[in-house]
């Protein structure tokens, strides 16, 4: 006879363990348990049958996999945590005795140093695995790099995050792996393609951060400790893959003066004729040999064959443009949108390469410098107040081709006041613009890199109304509103005519209301005497009112024809036929030819709208007849599908209506 299985000894009850039991089993404190779980990537689990696992208890309990806790029993960090706890007891005992010197000596010599190298190797056995998990690491480190130092976030941690982030940005600049960027409310999104993996991270805007007391910086600090170790390994691997020395040399004096990226000096490795390695130190702000070597490595195709230097290479006309990327275009009008290939590193390196940029002092220097250098620009200057490391700080340098500004032009009266009296500013922009220089707003840079080409700079000029800045990761689906396409390509049949008719009727109602309000105001002014609060009618006025038969307002209404002079648009078809027949009889009696009726735009829209409504009504009736042949279950399913489709179509139509109204408003302003 088989042994009876006891309850709670097998199945789901054995596969899960509570957090309290896990802490007792590992014999560590709860903060150390949380820290260890973050390092090892172990998270709480939610069992399917929580009541069975908790043995009938309904209290809120956190569960973990039992095998995960058993896996933690062999972790070397447990011994480090216990050593740290023992040293902490000794330090506390020394402080209690007043022996501060002994406490400092114990903290300096006996506190164990925790290294996470073995955990990085366990969690990421291949380098591709580390790149796939780099999104959260970069977002967290860039966040801490912009935080102010406090008792929860020490300055040493912030400096380490800034150093690692700048090193990663230098690799992106050298390899030209940046592909897209987007300015959002949360911050600036960047996407780089590194060894075939898309890495997306978020960089917050630079403003004064006020950290509240409801944030648990201990848990965030644990993640930062793990991510700094991870990014250090990744940076080393990335630098060595493109022939650069890691870590790069760091100039603390330039960093103190706000150099940021320019405070790092890149060292490139090159091999001499004797086979000995030579180390060349070059500044990151200027053209460096290491960057040229890295560019050549990135641009060399995989199947390149070695050819003698003396032999000429014959290239046909068809093979001249082999580096350009083919674009896939749909042949059928209703076909799906094909995903287009992204720009290569060679195209990214040549986008801003031949130009020299100057950043005004009101522009965000750090993101603009990073993006411009990542897309080939090696000459970026800015105002001296923005920090060190600029290519030039002279705004009137003749070699500057583009100047990025973010301020509106001076009005005429302000410019005259500046010229007339008072001390004139050093740079009277835009009255002192340099000839031959292009002035654009910062959004021009982001839109150019997202579209992979240089856009028209006049659309982004000073004080110009900028085009919409759209997300480069947005992929419009069929039937949804696409802001990149014109309205006539995506609007439904009869939608434009319906909008015109509705807009005209709405404008007429507004004008009619304004006229009525003005008429009422005039009547009130004429009926109220100066200095009196109410009207006192005289006997003559009463006699005039009696003779006229009451109020004069109906007579005014009879004289006012309103704006609905085209009465035929609202009459029925029978009445229109009767009026047409009457015109024919009058023309026959007078002997004059019948003049053709002038068809107005409003009547045309009404005819088109009637046809579209009739067609839609027929389609709806046909659809209802088809539904009658379905079963009840399929009919309900189709109803849910139609509900979602109708909701999506209504949202798209509303967006198109807003776009059409904005276009009309802008056109009216341009006409004025």
């Amino acid at each position: 006879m088989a042994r009876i299985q006891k309850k709670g000894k097998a199945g789901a009850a054995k596969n899960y363990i509570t957090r309290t039991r896990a802490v007792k089993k590992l014999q560590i404190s709860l903060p150390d348990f949380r820290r260890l779980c973050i390092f090892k990537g172990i998270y709480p689990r939610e069992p399917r049958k929580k009541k069975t696992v908790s043995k009938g208890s309904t209290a809120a309990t956190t569960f973990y996999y039992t095998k995960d806790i058993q896996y933690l029993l062999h972790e070397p960090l447990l011994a480090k945590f216990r050593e740290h706890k023992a040293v902490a007891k000794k330090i506390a005992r020394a402080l209690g005795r007043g022996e501060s010197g002994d406490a400092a000596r114990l903290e300096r010599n006996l506190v164990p140093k925790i290294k996470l190298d073995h955990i990085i190797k366990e969690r990421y056995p291949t380098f591709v695995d580390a790149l796939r998990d780099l999104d959260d690491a970069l977002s967290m480190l860039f966040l801490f790099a912009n935080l102010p130092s406090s008792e929860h976030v020490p300055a040493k941690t912030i400096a380490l995050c800034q150093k690692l982030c700048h090193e990663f940005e230098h690799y992106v600049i050298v390899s030209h792996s940046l592909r897209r960027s987007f300015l959002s409310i949360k911050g600036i999104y960047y996407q780089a393609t590194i060894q075939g993996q898309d890495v997306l991270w978020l960089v917050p805007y630079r403003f004064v951060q006020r950290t509240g007391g409801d944030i648990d910086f201990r848990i965030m600090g644990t993640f930062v400790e793990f991510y700094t170790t991870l990014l250090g390994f990744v940076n080393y691997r990335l630098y060595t893959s493109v022939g650069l020395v890691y870590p790069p040399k760091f100039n603390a004096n330039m960093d103190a003066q706000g150099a940021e990226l320019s405070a790092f000096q890149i060292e490139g490795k090159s091999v001499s004729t004797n086979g000995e390695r030579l180390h060349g130190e070059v500044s990151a702000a200027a053209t460096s040999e290491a960057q040229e070597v890295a560019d050549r490595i990135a641009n060399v195709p995989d199947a390149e064959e070695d050819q003698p230097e003396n032999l000429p290479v014959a290239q046909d006309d068809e093979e001249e443009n082999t580096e350009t990327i083919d674009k896939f275009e749909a042949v059928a009008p209703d076909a799906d949108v094909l995903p287009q290939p992204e720009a290569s590193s060679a195209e990214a390196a040549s986008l801003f390469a031949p130009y020299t940029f100057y950043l005004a002092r009101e522009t965000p220097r750090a993101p603009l410098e990073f993006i411009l250098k990542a897309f080939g620009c090696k000459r970026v200057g800015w105002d001296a107040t923005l920090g060190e490391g600029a290519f030039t700080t002279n705004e009137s340098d003749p070699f500057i081709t583009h100047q990025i500004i973010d301020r509106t032009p001076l009005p005429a009266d302000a410019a005259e006041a500046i010229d007339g009296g008072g001390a004139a500013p050093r740079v009277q922009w835009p009255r002192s613009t340099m000839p031959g220089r292009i002035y654009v707003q910062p959004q021009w840079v982001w839109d150019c890199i997202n579209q992979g080409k240089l856009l028209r700079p006049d659309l982004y000029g000073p004080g110009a109304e900028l085009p919409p800045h759209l997300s480069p990761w947005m992929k419009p689906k069929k039937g949804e509103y696409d802001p990149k396409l014109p309205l006539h390509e995506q609007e439904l049949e009869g939608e434009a005519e319906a909008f015109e008719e509705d807009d005209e009727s709405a404008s007429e109602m507004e004008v009619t209301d304004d006229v009525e309000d003005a008429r009422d105001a005039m009547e009130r002014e004429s009926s109220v005497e100066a200095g009196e609060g109410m009207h006192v009618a005289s006997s003559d006025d009463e006699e005039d009112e009696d003779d006229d038969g009451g109020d004069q307002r109906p007579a005014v209404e009879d004289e006012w024809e309103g704006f609905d002079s085209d009465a035929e648009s609202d009459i029925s078809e029978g009445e229109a036929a009767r009026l047409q027949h009457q015109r024919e009889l009058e023309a026959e009696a007078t002997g004059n030819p019948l003049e053709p009726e002038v068809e107005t735009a409003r009547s045309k829209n009404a005819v088109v709208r009637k046809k579209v409504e009739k067609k839609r009504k027929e389609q709806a009736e046909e659809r209802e007849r088809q539904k009658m042949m379905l079963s009840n279950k399929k009919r309900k399913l189709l109803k849910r599908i139609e509900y979602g489709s109708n909701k999506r179509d209504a949202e798209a139509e509303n967006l198109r209506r807003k776009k059409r109204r904005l276009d009309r408003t802008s056109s009216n302003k341009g006409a004025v």
Side-chain angles (χ1 to χ4, degrees), residues 191-212:
Q191 183 183 9
T193 302
I194 303 175
Q195 296 187 8
Q197 300 295 325
D198 292 335
V199 181
L200 179 67
W201 70 95
L202 174 65
V203 179
Y205 295 113
R206 294 193 174 183
F207 57 90
V208 179
Q209 303 261 0
R210 296 181 180 179
T211 56

Side-chain angles (χ1 to χ4, degrees), residues 133 250 399 616:
D133 201 22
F250 176 70
F399 293 99
R616 290 179 181 177

Side-chain angles (χ1 to χ4, degrees), residues 43-54:
Y43 301 97
R45 307 292 178 175
E46 186 71 18
R48 292 182 178 179
K49 299 180 180 179
K50 193 172 183 179
K51 190 173 182 181
T52 303
V53 174
S54 58

